[in-house]
C-alpha cells in the first residue's frame, strides 16, 4: 500500500536523512533541497538505473555531460528568452505574487466556475480558461476580483493585477567584466547542451540516424511558486534523451519511446496503472513541441501530476540554432535556397543529403522520480503481534543500503571485528553501500532498516563465534542470520556462502 499522504513521505525523508530543506540553518531557501546520506544513494541508484537502461543496454545511444551555464545566445535562439515564462499575478493588497494557473486551480469550485463564466469560458476546460486569462489580461484582472479569488497567504479576496509573463531563467554574470553582454544563463533544461553538442558527438562517434544522446544533470527554473516538497523546485535534476531520427519516422519513434519509458518506470516499482498518459492539448504545448505525451503519476495528496514529458520536438531546436548561426555569420550556407548549413545537420540515411533531423525527447525529473519511487515503496503493515511497522519496499537495485551487517553486541570486540570483515567482503562485490550497523540494539536496527528499505540484515551473534550458551548447536559456528525485509523470514547461512548468496539475490 503506497504512501497515502505527502506528509508521511516528508516526515520519513527528514527523520531518516533522505531530504533536507536547503540552507535550513539560515531559515531555509524556498524551492531548494539537499539530499542527505540516504537520499544521495537513492538518487544515484535511480540515475544509474536510467543510464543502464537507456545508454548501456541500447546500441543507438551516446552519453554527454554538458556545462550548466550556457551562452546567452543559446537560450535566445532556442526560444527560451522569449517564451520560457509562466503567467504571474500580484495581489496589490500585500504584494504577494502567484502563478496565475496555480492561483486559480487552488480556489473553490464555485469560484473557478465564476471566473470561467466572467471570461466566457467553460470551467471544465482549465487549459482554455488559463489561455483566455493570459490573452485578455485586463478582463482577467477584473474577473479574478469579481469572482472573489482569494489570496492563499491572507485568505482574503485579492486586488489582482493583470497577468504578465515572468521569465523563469536564472541569469548570471560571467567573469569580472561590467559589460552588459557578459551574462549567461543557468540552463532551464539539459536538452540545450545536447543540441549545441550535436555536431561534436556526430563527428567524434561517426553516428548515423537514428541515434540518441542521453544526459543527466541539473537544470534551474525560477519557479514563481515552488511547492509540494521536491515536486516543484527551483534547482532540479533531469534525465533527458534527445533521440534524432529521419523526418517522417518521428511518430513511430515517439510511440517507441512512450512504451520504453513506461516499462522503465514499471521496473523501478512505479506501475503503469498509476500513470495516466496525457496527450497534451495543442494550446498547452511548449513552444518547440509538435506533440507531447505527459506521463501523469498519481502522487499522494497531489493526484495526477507530470513525472515525465515525452515530446516530439521536430527539427525545431537544431533548425533554429542552425538558422541563427547562419544569420550571425558563424557558419557558411552550404546549399543555395535551403536552410541547410554545415553545422547542425547529418546525412539522410538514404539520400546522403544533409538534413536537420527530427527529435523525440523523453525528459524525466530525478526529484519527481524520487517522490514516486518512495511513495510506491512506502508500506505500513500490522505484524502478527499487533505491532505496526513502516517498511520501504524499494526494488533492491534502488535501495540506498543493500545489506546491514549487525554485530549482536557492540561491546564484544570479536563480534564487531567479524561483522566489519564481513561488511568489507560484501562491499568488495560492488553492489552498492553495505553498512556496519553497530548501534547495539538489534530491534531498533531492524526497525530502522525496514524504514530505509535495506533488503537484507545480516546478524553476527554468539553462535557465529562459537560462544553461545551451553548446549547450543555447535554447527552454528561461522554461520550468520539473514533477515529478509519484506517477508521477515530468517535463514542461517555459513559465512563462506554469504557473498554468493547476496550477489545472487541483489543481481
Ligand atoms: N527538455 C524538456 C523539458 O524540460 P519539461 O516538461 O519542462 O520538459 C521535464 O520538464 C521534466 O522535468 C518534468 O516532467 C519534470 O519531471 C521535471 N521538472 C520540470 N520542472 C520541474 C520543477 N520545477 N521541479 C521538479 N521537477 C521538474
Amino acid at each position: 500500500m503506497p504512501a497515502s499522504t505527502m506528509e508521511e513521505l516528508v516526515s520519513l525523508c527528514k527523520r531518516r536523512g533522505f531530504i533536507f530543506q536547503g540552507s535550513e540553518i539560515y531559515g531555509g531557501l524556498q524551492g531548494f533541497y539537499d539530499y542527505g546520506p540516504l537520499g544521495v544513494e537513492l538518487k544515484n541508484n535511480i540515475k544509474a538505473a536510467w543510464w543502464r537502461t537507456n545508454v548501456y543496454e541500447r546500441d543507438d545511444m551516446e552519453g554527454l555531460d554538458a556545462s550548466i551555464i550556457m551562452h546567452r545566445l543559446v537560450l535566445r535562439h532556442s526560444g527560451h528568452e522569449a517564451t520560457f515564462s509562466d503567467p504571474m499575478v500580484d495581489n496589490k493588497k500585500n504584494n504577494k505574487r502567484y502563478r496565475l494557473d496555480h492561483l486559480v486551480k487552488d480556489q473553490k469550485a464555485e469560484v473557478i466556475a465564476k471566473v470561467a463564466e466572467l471570461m466566457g469560458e467553460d470551467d471544465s476546460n482549465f487549459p482554455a480558461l488559463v489561455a483566455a486569462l493570459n490573452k485578455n489580461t485586463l478582463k482577467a484582472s477584473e474577473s479574478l476580483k469579481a469572482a472573489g479569488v482569494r489570496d492563499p497567504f491572507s485568505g482574503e479576496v485579492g486586488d489582482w493585477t493583470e497577468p504578465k509573463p515572468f521569465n523563469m531563467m536564472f541569469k548570471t554574470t560571467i567573469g569580472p567584466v561590467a559589460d552588459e553582454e557578459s551574462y549567461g544563463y543557468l540552463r532551464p533544461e539539459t536538452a540545450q547542451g545536447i543540441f549545441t553538442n550535436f555536431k561534436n558527438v556526430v563527428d567524434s562517434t561517426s553516428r548515423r540516424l537514428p541515434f540518441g544522446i542521453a544526459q543527466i544533470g541539473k537544470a534551474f527554473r525560477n519557479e514563481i511558486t515552488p511547492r509540494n516538497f521536491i515536486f516543484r523546485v527551483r534547482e532540479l535534476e533531469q534525465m533527458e534523451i534527445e533521440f534524432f531520427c529521419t523526418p517522417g519516422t518521428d511518430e513511430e519513434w515517439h510511440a517507441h519511446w512512450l512504451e520504453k519509458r513506461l516499462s522503465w518506470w514499471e521496473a523501478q516499482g512505479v506501475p503503469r496503472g498509476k500513470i495516466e498518459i496525457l496527450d497534451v492539448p495543442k494550446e498547452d504545448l511548449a513552444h518547440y513541441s509538435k506533440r507531447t505525451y505527459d506521463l501523469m503519476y498519481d502522487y499522494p495528496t497531489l493526484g495526477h501530476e507530470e513525472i515525465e514529458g515525452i515530446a516530439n520536438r521536430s527539427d525545431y531546436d537544431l533548425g533554429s540554432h542552425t538558422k541563427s548561426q547562419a544569420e550571425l555569420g558563424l557558419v557558411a550556407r552550404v546549399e543555395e535556397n535551403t536552410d541547410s548549413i554545415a553545422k547542425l545537420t547529418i546525412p539522410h540515411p538514404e539520400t546522403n543529403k544533409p538534413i536537420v533531423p527530427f527529435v523525440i525527447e523523453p525528459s524525466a525529473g530525478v526529484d519527481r522520480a524520487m517522490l514516486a519511487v518512495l511513495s510506491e515503496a512506502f508500506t505500513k503493515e500490522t505484524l502478527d503481534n499487533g505491532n505496526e511497522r513502516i517498511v520501504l519496499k524499494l526494488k533492491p537495485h534502488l535501495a540506498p543500503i543493500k545489506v546491514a551487517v549487525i554485530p549482536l553486541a557492540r561491546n564484544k570486540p570479536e563480534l564487531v571485528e567479524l561483522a566489519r570483515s564481513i561488511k568489507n567482503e560484501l562491499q568488495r562485490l560492488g553492489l552498492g553501500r553495505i553498512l556496519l550497523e553497530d548501534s547495539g540494539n538489534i530491534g531498533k536496527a531492524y526497525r530502522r532498516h525496514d524504514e530505509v528499505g535495506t533488503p537484507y540484515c545480516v546478524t553476527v551473534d554468539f553462535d557465529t563465534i562459537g560462544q553461545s550458551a551451553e548446549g547450543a548447536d555447535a554447527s552454528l559456528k561461522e554461520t550468520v542470520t539473514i533477515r529478509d525485509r519484506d517477508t521477515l523470514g530468517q535463514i542461517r547461512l555459513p559465512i563462506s556462502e554469504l557473498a554468493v548468496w547476496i550477489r545472487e539475490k541483489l543481481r
Side-chain angles (χ1 to χ4, degrees):
M1 171 75 130
S4 46
T5 67
M6 189 64 91
E7 284 68 37
E8 280 178 326
L9 283 185
V10 174
S11 154
L12 175 81
C13 285
K14 169 96 194 187
R15 191 170 68 247
R16 292 302 186 186
F18 281 91
I19 300 167
F20 310 121
Q21 174 70 61
S23 306
E24 195 174 13
I25 62 165
Y26 286 99
L29 197 54
Q30 226 196 336
F32 297 89
Y33 285 90
D34 299 337
Y35 287 84
L38 297 178
V40 64
E41 296 291 340
L42 175 56
K43 205 177 190 208
N44 284 343
N45 292 341
I46 290 173
K47 292 190 281 183
W50 185 91
W51 197 264
R52 204 164 42 238
T53 305
N54 293 299
V55 181
Y56 295 161
E57 290 175 9
R58 292 185 68 105
D59 299 318
D60 54 4
M61 195 71 71
E62 300 289 348
L64 184 77
D65 183 16
S67 68
I68 285 171
I69 294 179
M70 302 197 79
H71 198 294
R72 65 193 168 81
L73 291 180
V74 172
L75 280 313
R76 175 169 304 165
H77 295 295
S78 66
H80 284 81
E81 265 190 358
T83 63
F84 194 65
S85 54
D86 276 335
M88 181 176 69
V89 282
D90 293 3
N91 180 1
K92 285 190 258 176
K93 285 184 182 166
N94 59 5
N95 294 325
K96 293 273 173 204
R97 304 193 132 168
Y98 298 99
R99 195 172 131 174
L100 174 68
D101 51 338
H102 289 171
L103 176 73
V104 177
K105 201 174 186 181
D106 290 348
Q107 301 294 313
K108 289 191 172 140
E110 57 267 28
V111 176
I112 301 176
K114 188 77 189 160
V115 176
E117 187 195 319
L118 292 168
M119 292 300 294
E121 294 291 329
D122 179 352
D123 66 342
S124 63
N125 187 348
F126 192 72
L129 172 59
V130 173
L133 289 165
N134 273 324
K135 202 164 162 204
N136 195 341
T137 56
L138 189 57
K139 193 170 171 195
S141 158
E142 285 160 3
S143 303
L144 295 179
K145 285 183 261 188
V149 167
R150 289 184 183 273
D151 183 314
F153 183 77
S154 67
E156 291 170 12
V157 175
D159 182 4
W160 302 108
T161 59
E162 290 180 48
K164 58 176 183 240
F166 172 76
N167 193 292
M168 288 192 289
M169 284 196 293
F170 282 99
K171 219 178 192 182
T172 186
T173 48
I174 299 172
V177 255
D179 162 12
E180 284 202 350
E181 304 259 281
S182 299
Y183 68 88
Y185 290 110
L186 273 67
R187 62 186 182 196
E189 56 170 2
T190 67
Q192 293 305 322
I194 298 183
F195 296 129
T196 51
N197 279 291
F198 172 73
K199 209 55 184 156
N200 287 334
V201 175
V202 170
D203 291 347
S204 57
T205 62
S206 307
R207 281 286 180 185
R208 309 263 302 169
L209 292 179
F211 80 100
I213 303 178
Q215 177 169 221
I216 299 176
K218 294 269 189 174
F220 298 82
R221 298 180 180 189
N222 199 2
E223 295 280 353
I224 300 168
T225 39
R227 56 189 193 165
N228 295 324
F229 194 35
I230 54 168
F231 179 81
R232 189 173 304 284
V233 285
R234 290 178 166 140
E235 176 175 337
L236 55 133
E237 198 159 7
Q238 292 183 314
M239 306 181 281
E240 296 202 304
I241 293 165
E242 306 303 324
F243 193 83
F244 303 99
C245 61
T246 316
T249 64
D250 49 309
E251 286 173 18
E252 225 173 283
W253 281 111
H254 205 182
H256 166 94
W257 278 108
L258 176 60
E259 185 51 36
K260 287 283 170 203
R261 295 303 304 142
L262 286 168
S263 74
W264 184 81
W265 284 111
E266 185 108 49
Q268 313 317 312
V270 182
R272 282 179 191 224
K274 293 288 291 288
I275 296 178
E276 273 177 12
I277 300 163
L278 174 72
D279 195 347
V280 178
K282 284 257 173 306
E283 61 269 26
D284 267 4
L285 288 175
H287 62 278
Y288 49 71
S289 173
K290 174 180 163 189
R291 184 175 190 179
T292 296
Y293 299 122
D294 277 349
L295 306 189
M296 310 292 282
Y297 170 71
D298 190 6
Y299 285 98
T301 307
L302 311 183
H304 286 96
E305 292 284 353
E306 181 185 337
I307 189 170
E308 170 161 2
I310 306 172
N312 181 341
R313 287 182 85 129
S314 70
D315 56 357
Y316 177 87
D317 298 87
L318 291 182
S320 168
H321 288 306
T322 298
K323 279 185 207 144
S324 312
Q325 289 188 72
E327 279 157 24
L328 292 167
L330 295 176
V331 290
R333 206 169 276 274
V334 288
E335 280 181 41
E336 282 301 319
N337 305 323
T338 78
D339 281 329
S340 299
I341 303 299
K343 277 233 159 164
L344 306 182
T345 60
I346 189 167
H348 187 288
E350 281 142 33
T351 66
N352 239 12
K353 283 202 164 155
I355 56 160
V356 178
F358 267 41
V359 176
I360 303 300
E361 179 199 60
S363 170
V366 180
D367 314 82
R368 291 187 189 181
M370 290 268 296
L371 262 189
V373 160
L374 282 170
S375 162
E376 285 301 320
F378 187 98
T379 313
K380 249 188 210 164
E381 283 178 354
T382 307
L383 303 175
D384 291 344
N385 61 9
N387 289 344
E388 200 172 73
R389 75 161 181 157
I390 291 175
V391 52
L392 268 192
K393 294 193 171 177
L394 290 167
K395 297 273 181 191
H397 70 279
L398 297 180
I401 298 167
K402 307 300 179 196
V403 180
V405 186
I406 310 172
L408 193 61
R410 72 201 299 193
N411 54 2
K412 187 82 181 165
E414 294 105 299
L415 288 181
V416 176
E417 279 323 300
L418 182 54
R420 192 187 310 283
S421 80
I422 291 173
K423 180 254 163 178
N424 290 341
E425 190 194 343
L426 295 180
Q427 193 63 69
R428 278 194 288 273
L429 296 175
L431 297 167
R433 181 141 205 224
I434 313 290
L435 193 85
L436 177 68
E437 176 67 70
D438 57 353
S439 55
N441 181 325
I442 187 89
K444 273 194 183 159
Y446 283 160
R447 268 201 302 285
R448 172 174 131 81
H449 284 283
D450 282 348
E451 266 203 18
V452 304
T454 307
Y456 299 106
C457 286
V458 170
T459 305
V460 179
D461 58 19
F462 290 97
D463 285 329
T464 315
I465 54 172
Q467 292 185 14
S468 46
E470 226 171 289
D473 187 349
S475 68
L476 296 182
K477 196 168 174 216
E478 299 196 353
T479 66
V480 286
T481 303
I482 307 172
R483 174 185 181 271
D484 183 296
R485 173 195 74 192
D486 297 344
T487 65
L488 296 178
Q490 300 202 5
I491 59 164
R492 195 98 199 169
L493 212 65
I495 295 172
S496 57
E497 292 172 22
L498 185 62
V500 173
W501 191 93
I502 291 284
R503 188 170 40 212
E504 198 52 38
K505 287 286 181 185
L506 292 179
R507 199 158 55 174

